[in-house]
Amino acid sequence: MRRTLVCAALLGVATLVHAAHPAPPAVQQREPSADERNTFDEYYREQVPPRVSGGPSLFAPVFDIQRRRGQPWQVIARVDSSPRHYTPELCRQVRTSYIYDAKAPKGQRWSPSAAAPEWYVWLATPKVICTAAQYTVRMDPAVSNEDATALLRQHRELLQRARLLFAGNSGCARQRSLTFRFAAMEPAPPANGAPAMVGMVFESDRDTRVHVAVRKHRGEYAAWNVSCPVV
């Protein structure tokens, strides 16, 4: 009995110590150092002409810097190109990623990431020059311009139809009433009875994600099925 009490007391002390000194997060993040920021600024201005970058007024890199405990920092900078007409109906920006190598000689520490550039699109206003938009949608290059334009125009109606499908999917039922934002469009594999498909990705205000497979038939689009992967 005494031994049991001693073990319980030790366990209680260990619990208190753990609570006072919680384990560090699995992924650590930080802001860029002055050297990382300054060297990227120099590198980008040498590599990318103003007609592509949009000039100093649009040059606003976003840094993604993180590491797992015990590993070196991974430093990535992302920059959006100047907004331009992609088609008469679509405006587009291209987001390119660059990676930092702290061990490389000075002047050679930044290089383009192996990841492919990402396209972000939004509906254009007729006869108006494209300017930066608050809300954009990531577009997989494999999605046709026709489909991209149609999904942007109809995404609210397609989401409403998709909400009706949530109830029949156990992974999606709880998300039926959440607020969603149209985040991405991508190719989708053919489904039974729907050979021509395109995918939509919606992100909620609760940090969840919904994939909606849309059936295309004779120029009309209909939400066909939904899935809600764990983010």
Side-chain angles (χ1 to χ4, degrees), residues 137-155:
V137 177
R138 180 170 54 82
M139 173 184 172
D140 189 299
V143 175
S144 72
N145 299 338
E146 177 187 8
D147 289 341
T149 302
L151 295 185
L152 284 168
R153 294 190 188 282
Q154 301 176 37
H155 71 274

Side-chain angles (χ1 to χ4, degrees), residues 14 38-39 78 82 144 155 190 199 205 231:
N38 292 336
T39 55
R78 298 186 174 92
S82 176
S144 72
H155 71 274
D205 56 353
V231 179

Side-chain angles (χ1 to χ4, degrees), residues 37-51 53-61 79 98 110:
R37 189 180 291 277
N38 292 336
T39 55
F40 180 71
D41 183 78
E42 295 172 2
Y43 166 81
Y44 189 80
R45 294 184 190 283
E46 289 177 358
Q47 298 294 319
V48 182
R51 62 181 176 80
S53 69
S57 63
L58 285 176
F59 177 70
V79 182
Y98 301 86
W110 285 99

Side-chain angles (χ1 to χ4, degrees), residues 181 196 220 230:
R181 183 184 73 85
E220 296 185 356
V230 178

Side-chain angles (χ1 to χ4, degrees), residues 20-108:
H21 302 281
V27 177
Q28 298 174 301
Q29 297 179 316
R30 66 169 174 82
E31 294 296 317
S33 67
D35 180 72
E36 291 163 349
R37 189 180 291 277
N38 292 336
T39 55
F40 180 71
D41 183 78
E42 295 172 2
Y43 166 81
Y44 189 80
R45 294 184 190 283
E46 289 177 358
Q47 298 294 319
V48 182
R51 62 181 176 80
V52 176
S53 69
S57 63
L58 285 176
F59 177 70
V62 175
F63 290 88
D64 179 8
I65 304 176
Q66 57 181 268
R67 71 175 177 184
R68 293 193 175 275
R69 188 168 46 179
Q71 297 182 359
W73 289 102
Q74 183 183 59
V75 181
I76 295 176
R78 298 186 174 92
V79 182
D80 290 342
S81 68
S82 176
R84 294 183 180 278
H85 273 96
Y86 176 51
T87 70
E89 295 83 17
L90 296 176
C91 294
R92 184 186 72 172
Q93 281 184 304
V94 180
R95 181 168 299 169
T96 307
S97 298
Y98 301 86
I99 193 163
Y100 181 80
D101 182 0
K103 296 181 180 179
K106 194 170 183 178
Q108 303 177 29

Side-chain angles (χ1 to χ4, degrees), residues 168-188:
N169 186 308
S170 59
C172 298
R174 294 183 179 180
Q175 301 192 53
R176 185 173 179 178
S177 62
L178 297 184
T179 299
F180 286 96
R181 183 184 73 85
F182 185 20
M185 59 186 91
E186 58 193 15

